[in-house]
DNA sequence: GCCGTTTCGTGACGGCGTGTCAACTTTGCG
DNA sequence: CGCAAAGTTGACACGCCGTCACGAAACGGC
């Protein structure tokens, strides 16, 4: 009756989800406060009500927690990319929407104004984790899609996706270092750069 | 007589330089073999003939050794950039030379064919260390120089430098993952992308 | 050469974080 | 209610960290 939308009813399942969530939340806070490198598993677990051993029922290491956080972020970001792809009227529009979405995401995700810079908090911000790879694939598919529709010239989509991601990450980081960060200006810069770049590319494949 | 070009004669100075060098060499090998994250200061010192305490006479931590290695790399790379700037006949030529130089550098620097991927070995590959910042400055100056000479349109050189660096890093990484890596093709891709991007940029400042 | 001074290598030590595990508590279920 | 399964707990052994008192080796004045 009261559990109309109870996705999990067992007390065990609820506790499990709650514990995992508590650890993730604590980790996010601890990483932001003292930095990923210096943070210890104990620091994280102290941020919860659980005992040290319990940590290892959920994650194998500090690194795995970080990856889980990155996965979360990527999972939340993917819909933004997909929406950009589906609602865009042309290639230029797609790029602009995707970049703007990413930069807004960056602003929204950084721990409320304080916290350490992303660079310090993200030690190995590479396309390692599965969900990270999924974002890369989403970008690449978006580009291939545009090419298939004749909206962009046929080029090496692997290089192109990597180029767009690397460029966006660094311009995004530069944007965050300015105060106040200007999403519009940064997005316009990155988007126009990419569009111009794509059009100048050697047409392969 | 026999010491015509002896830069350091004191036995102390020579030992110091040799020890520091031994630690750096061992660290480079250890990082490549077992990865930066899992490597310990003890692992590094075991790769030399020295005692554990000696490590701390030269570096404060594993991270500081890594930074020293990064500094070394950046210091060796900077002349490549400078040469590109000085010998280039126009903006397009400058970009092409710089990118090609960087990609050749990547190929030359990776631990002989084996070793872990750069991404795993370089946990915080950001523009943190002084020498790293110097590379960024070198890039930015090269771009400002081109703009001042009217070879490129006036744009936000901070964003532009970041964009070029991020793009080059990621395309370079993608190149290294292919076998065999094709420096020419990758450099042509990155250079043309950048040139096209710059020309499409909103002219500010 | 000799010896006081300084510099530096050495490895043992206290402190701390790690990951494990046997004992204990809670939940699910008949 | 009671048993089995699942999960939590914190103490423990292990390994790494960074330091420090000690001794050896190099320097430099005589």
């Amino acid at each position: 009756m009261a559990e109309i939308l109870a996705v999990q009813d067992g007390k065990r399942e609820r506790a499990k989800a709650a514990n995992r969530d508590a650890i993730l939340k604590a980790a996010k806070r601890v990483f932001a406060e003292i930095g990923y490198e210096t943070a210890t598993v104990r620091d994280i677990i102290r941020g919860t009500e659980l005992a040290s051993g319990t940590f290892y029922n959920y994650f194998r290491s500090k690194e795995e927690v970080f990856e889980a956080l990155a996965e979360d972020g990527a999972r939340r970001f993917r819909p933004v990319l997909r929406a950009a792809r589906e609602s865009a009227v042309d290639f230029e529009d797609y790029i602009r929407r995707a970049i703007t979405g990413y930069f807004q995401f960056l602003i929204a995700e950084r721990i409320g104004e304080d916290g350490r810079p992303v660079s310090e908090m993200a030690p190995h911000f590479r396309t390692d984790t599965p969900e990270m790879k999924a974002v890369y694939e989403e970008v690449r598919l978006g580009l291939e899609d545009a090419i298939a529709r004749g909206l962009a010239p046929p080029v090496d989509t692997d290089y192109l996706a990597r180029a767009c991601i690397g460029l966006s990450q660094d311009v995004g980081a530069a944007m965050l270092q300015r105060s106040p960060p200007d999403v519009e200006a940064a997005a316009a810069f990155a988007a126009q750069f990419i569009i111009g770049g794509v059009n100048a590319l050697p047409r392969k494949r």
Side-chain angles (χ1 to χ4, degrees), chain A residues 85-106:
Chain A
R85 176 140 70 107
E86 285 169 358
S87 66
V89 299
D90 58 13
F91 182 68
E92 202 171 316
D93 194 37
Y94 164 55
I95 295 293
R96 200 181 316 277
R97 282 169 190 264
I99 301 279
T100 305
Y102 175 57
F103 286 178
Q104 284 170 345
F105 183 79
L106 281 184

Side-chain angles (χ1 to χ4, degrees), chain A residues 36 67 95 105 151 157 196:
Chain A
Y36 173 83
E67 278 173 16
I95 295 293
F105 183 79
L151 301 176
T157 51

Side-chain angles (χ1 to χ4, degrees), chain A residues 9-131:
Chain A
D9 20 87
K11 204 165 186 180
R12 281 230 136 96
E13 311 248 348
R14 255 186 295 121
K16 255 175 117 171
N19 285 350
R20 192 189 142 88
D21 211 57
I23 293 175
L24 284 174
K25 275 192 164 57
K28 195 170 191 174
R29 196 175 58 244
V30 169
F31 289 161
E33 274 169 10
I34 68 177
Y36 173 83
E37 299 282 3
T38 42
T40 73
V41 169
R42 254 58 174 187
D43 289 332
I44 297 172
I45 212 67
R46 265 183 231 117
T48 72
E49 310 255 305
L50 300 102
S52 61
T54 306
F55 176 91
Y56 296 96
N57 287 343
Y58 294 89
F59 302 97
R60 266 200 294 272
S61 64
K62 169 179 77 158
E63 182 170 355
E64 203 168 293
V65 180
F66 180 83
E67 278 173 16
L69 284 174
E71 295 279 284
D72 267 22
R75 197 171 294 115
R76 280 197 306 280
F77 177 57
R78 202 128 61 96
V80 175
L81 272 187
R82 188 165 289 267
R85 176 140 70 107
E86 285 169 358
S87 66
V89 299
D90 58 13
F91 182 68
E92 202 171 316
D93 194 37
Y94 164 55
I95 295 293
R96 200 181 316 277
R97 282 169 190 264
I99 301 279
T100 305
Y102 175 57
F103 286 178
Q104 284 170 345
F105 183 79
L106 281 184
I107 299 265
E109 286 290 305
R110 75 173 166 181
I111 321 287
E113 211 63 34
D114 56 333
R116 314 212 136 198
V118 181
S119 61
E120 218 175 314
M121 182 185 152
H124 38 217
F125 213 44
R126 289 276 160 242
T127 56
D128 288 314
T129 88
E131 200 68 25

Side-chain angles (χ1 to χ4, degrees), chain A residues 89-205:
Chain A
V89 299
D90 58 13
F91 182 68
E92 202 171 316
D93 194 37
Y94 164 55
I95 295 293
R96 200 181 316 277
R97 282 169 190 264
I99 301 279
T100 305
Y102 175 57
F103 286 178
Q104 284 170 345
F105 183 79
L106 281 184
I107 299 265
E109 286 290 305
R110 75 173 166 181
I111 321 287
E113 211 63 34
D114 56 333
R116 314 212 136 198
V118 181
S119 61
E120 218 175 314
M121 182 185 152
H124 38 217
F125 213 44
R126 289 276 160 242
T127 56
D128 288 314
T129 88
E131 200 68 25
M132 232 44 170
K133 266 197 144 54
V135 167
Y136 160 80
E137 279 303 327
E138 179 67 41
V139 170
R140 205 174 59 76
L141 285 180
L143 295 170
E144 277 193 349
D145 198 33
I147 291 172
R149 290 197 211 166
L151 301 176
V155 297
D156 189 323
T157 51
D158 174 43
Y159 277 167
L160 182 54
R162 300 284 212 120
C164 291
I165 290 172
L167 185 156
S168 302
Q169 279 185 351
D170 273 30
V171 173
M175 174 192 75
L176 286 180
Q177 280 171 11
R178 299 188 182 182
S179 49
D182 184 347
V183 169
E184 284 308 313
F189 182 96
Q192 297 203 35
F193 191 97
I194 288 175
I195 291 160
V198 169
N199 288 329
L201 240 31
R203 332 241 148 165
K204 279 188 189 164
R205 185 170 292 186

